[in-house]
Amino acid sequence: MTESQRERTYVGAIDQGTTGTRFIVFDHGGQPVANAYETHEQRYPEPGWVEHDPEEIWENTTAVIRRALAAAGIDAAQLAAIGITNQRETTVLWDRASGRPIYNAIVWQDRRTTDRIETLEAAGKDEWIRETTGLEPDAYFSATKIEWLLDNADPIKLKRMRPEDVRDRAEDGELCFGTIDSWLIYKLTGAHVTDVTNASRTMLFDIRELAWDDELLAEFDVPRAVLPEVRPSSDDDRYGTTDPDGFLGASVPVTGALGDQQAALFGQTCFDAGDAKNTYGTGSFMLMNTGTEAVSSDNGLLTTIGFQRSGEPVQYALEGSIFVTGAAIQWLEDMTLIDDPAESESLARAVDTTDGVYVVPAFTGLGAPHWDQRARGTIVGMTRGTRREHVVRATLESIAYQTRDVAEAMFEDSGIELSDLRVDGGAVKNNFLCQLQADVVGTDIVRPEVDETTALGAAYAAGLAVDYWESPEELRANWRVDREFRPDPDDDIDDRYERWGDAVERSLDWADDDG
């Protein structure tokens, strides 16, 4: 692509997250030109269940694309490519012919299959799953979600199409399974594909053989006929193109897809072994690039695929998945302890300490490195003198402590000590939290100028596939630091962190079978 062509064209990124959908238009310098955002409904049909309406997500996707293009004064034909990044593990099952979902999407946070995971562990199958997929068996991942859908999706929902049993239709290839990237690619192009990063989060994929695993498919009774084709994250051969007669009115290649955390790794230009980032969204996800080696974890981390470019080997990563961080700040708002997320910083600064209060935000269990599906949210250490400022500060501290849990596990597994940690996501706008994170982890926290690094990573993956950007080195040149936070040695940090471990112990195994 010539320089003059680049000046007239852009790359678009669909960032489909847990709470909403964003579309951002990026220029060749990696700067956002325009963006639009729309939230979708969170559905909680039973305690511990979380669902989204896939059709609502698709409608919001088309709406935000239109709005962003209009805001930028850009025609869809000026998009050199579209990339997609998505909430991972969230599972959709839809009719191949009509493109209609047969049930709501089951969200990554959903815990309805906890009992199924415990039967796997009781049968001693956890090590096999861990070795094959790099994942800790958990209801978080897609395998038990698709198993549940195939066994429980209400056939009544299919009466306007076909009344046959869901599992029979799946085995006949009439239904499609996918994570949200697959759903959106299908709606955009008609292709039923996914990328290696999203496939690696299903608990059905062999991350070393880079193929769907027959034994895992048999364990979860998932027919191969429902599975998407697995492609590189940045695909020179393209997943497909948009319909010129569709809502965009143009043929735009869809060439990149990454799960949201891998997209942030890519957007932070963590292309080399040892590079690490932490994204603070609904949860926090710390990833370290381990190069072409899949490093197994002995400390509760996940071994996952970081990204793959066409014609190149897969880059692996170690990941620490923390289920609740930004959502803990939303909880403060829900509890009317703060009026808006920005207020958390001023309230936390209003007190020097938490006065011994610890908040463990295990609202949906605990992820890495504890992996306790039955842990629940806990506040300990309160006295009659506890004020909301103490609880707010303790909630922010819980984010920093959980990140240190993961950082220490990562060092134990990899032997690589962090020189710095690149951060992104909504919560990093909070300077207090960034400084606290530096102090607690004991490393420099680096915040980039462009904080929408998840969308940027999807744009980079798509743009590289069509030569909008020529190489990763060109992307590194785009990366700019907004601010660095250096650790301020504090004699009692280690003591406070040790006490955090005591608080975590009190949250474990709370949601037992009796309630």
Side-chain angles (χ1 to χ4, degrees), residues 250-307:
S251 294
V252 182
V254 181
T255 56
L258 293 143
D260 52 8
Q261 304 313 318
Q262 287 94 333
L265 189 76
F266 208 76
Q268 290 273 31
T269 67
C270 294
F271 301 139
D272 297 327
D275 291 347
K277 71 88 199 175
N278 197 23
T279 297
Y280 300 80
T282 302
S284 281
F285 299 85
M286 184 172 170
L287 271 71
M288 174 186 284
N289 185 329
T290 62
T292 56
E293 180 187 2
V295 175
S296 297
S297 175
D298 296 321
N299 294 280
L301 301 182
L302 307 178
T303 305
T304 196
I305 293 175
F307 56 87

Side-chain angles (χ1 to χ4, degrees), residues 5-6 43 50 55 82 90 143 174 209 229 231 314 331 333 359 380 405 433 439 453 464 481:
Q5 288 174 316
R6 290 191 183 99
R43 303 182 178 206
V50 190
E55 289 284 20
I82 291 174
T90 295
E174 295 179 14
E209 296 297 324
E229 179 187 356
R231 304 279 282 275
V314 158
W331 169 78
E333 191 173 0
V359 173
V380 296
D405 287 345
L433 175 60
D439 296 341
T453 54
L464 283 169
V481 174

Side-chain angles (χ1 to χ4, degrees), residues 150-467:
L150 291 170
D151 289 339
N152 296 283
D154 187 357
I156 292 173
K157 291 181 178 291
L158 300 174
K159 281 191 173 178
R160 286 174 293 174
M161 299 180 285
R162 299 271 300 278
E164 289 90 337
D165 178 75
V166 171
R167 187 170 284 285
D168 290 341
R169 298 196 64 222
E171 290 172 353
D172 290 341
E174 295 179 14
L175 303 181
C176 295
F177 150 70
T179 41
I180 294 291
D181 61 305
S182 293
W183 166 246
L184 293 180
I185 292 169
Y186 185 88
K187 298 295 280 186
L188 286 165
T189 71
H192 185 208
V193 302
T194 190
D195 92 297
V196 289
T197 69
N198 280 292
S200 77
R201 310 298 295 191
T202 60
M203 214 162 72
L204 297 170
F205 191 72
D206 188 321
I207 61 169
R208 292 167 179 84
E209 296 297 324
L210 303 182
W212 300 114
D213 185 84
D214 288 330
E215 291 184 51
L216 287 169
L217 295 178
E219 172 65 41
F220 296 104
D221 203 9
V222 175
R224 185 172 281 274
V226 303
L227 299 173
E229 179 187 356
V230 182
R231 304 279 282 275
S233 315
S234 176
D235 191 0
D236 295 353
D237 292 333
R238 308 181 178 190
Y239 306 141
T241 57
T242 61
D243 184 352
D245 296 324
F247 78 99
L248 275 177
S251 294
V252 182
V254 181
T255 56
L258 293 143
D260 52 8
Q261 304 313 318
Q262 287 94 333
L265 189 76
F266 208 76
Q268 290 273 31
T269 67
C270 294
F271 301 139
D272 297 327
D275 291 347
K277 71 88 199 175
N278 197 23
T279 297
Y280 300 80
T282 302
S284 281
F285 299 85
M286 184 172 170
L287 271 71
M288 174 186 284
N289 185 329
T290 62
T292 56
E293 180 187 2
V295 175
S296 297
S297 175
D298 296 321
N299 294 280
L301 301 182
L302 307 178
T303 305
T304 196
I305 293 175
F307 56 87
Q308 183 186 31
R309 295 184 61 202
S310 289
E312 295 187 4
V314 158
Q315 296 278 308
Y316 292 94
L318 277 173
E319 174 175 329
S321 307
I322 303 168
F323 294 158
V324 174
T325 54
I329 299 174
Q330 292 175 329
W331 169 78
L332 291 173
E333 191 173 0
D334 294 341
M335 295 291 288
T336 66
L337 292 171
I338 59 175
D339 292 328
D340 59 70
E343 190 184 11
S344 64
E345 180 170 352
S346 60
L347 287 172
R349 290 184 187 278
V351 289
D352 293 331
T353 71
T354 67
D355 201 25
V357 174
Y358 286 82
V359 173
V360 183
F363 304 136
T364 56
L366 285 173
H370 311 286
W371 293 106
D372 187 331
Q373 300 182 94
R374 297 187 182 277
R376 287 297 179 266
T378 306
I379 305 176
V380 296
M382 290 192 296
T383 68
R384 187 65 181 82
T386 298
R387 308 200 315 270
R388 67 169 177 152
E389 289 86 349
H390 296 123
V391 175
V392 170
R393 183 176 179 122
T395 302
L396 294 184
E397 288 194 0
S398 77
I399 297 173
Y401 292 140
Q402 289 181 98
T403 302
R404 178 163 167 176
D405 287 345
V406 168
E408 292 198 347
M410 206 161 274
F411 173 72
E412 290 294 323
D413 284 330
S414 69
I416 299 171
E417 194 160 347
L418 292 176
S419 58
D420 61 44
L421 181 62
R422 298 183 176 191
V423 298
D424 54 75
V428 304
K429 295 179 175 68
N430 185 322
N431 291 329
F432 175 84
L433 175 60
C434 288
Q435 184 59 57
L436 179 68
Q437 189 70 90
D439 296 341
V440 170
V441 176
T443 193
D444 292 354
I445 298 297
V446 184
R447 185 171 66 194
E449 280 186 4
V450 177
D451 58 3
E452 294 289 353
T453 54
T454 302
L456 183 60
Y460 279 166
L464 283 169
V466 295
D467 295 325

Side-chain angles (χ1 to χ4, degrees), residues 1-67:
M1 182 176 291
T2 67
E3 195 60 40
S4 61
Q5 288 174 316
R6 290 191 183 99
E7 289 175 359
R8 298 192 305 272
T9 55
Y10 306 86
V11 174
I14 299 168
D15 183 355
Q16 203 302 295
T18 307
T19 55
T21 306
R22 188 180 304 277
F23 186 73
I24 304 183
V25 179
F26 290 97
D27 65 17
H28 190 254
Q31 295 297 312
V33 174
N35 79 78
Y37 180 75
E38 190 70 47
T39 61
H40 56 259
E41 182 183 357
Q42 307 294 312
R43 303 182 178 206
Y44 307 101
E46 303 281 348
W49 293 26
V50 190
E51 296 178 358
H52 295 156
D53 179 356
E55 289 284 20
E56 182 187 9
I57 287 173
W58 169 241
E59 289 166 8
N60 288 353
T61 300
T62 62
V64 295
I65 291 174
R66 286 194 187 101
R67 291 207 323 255

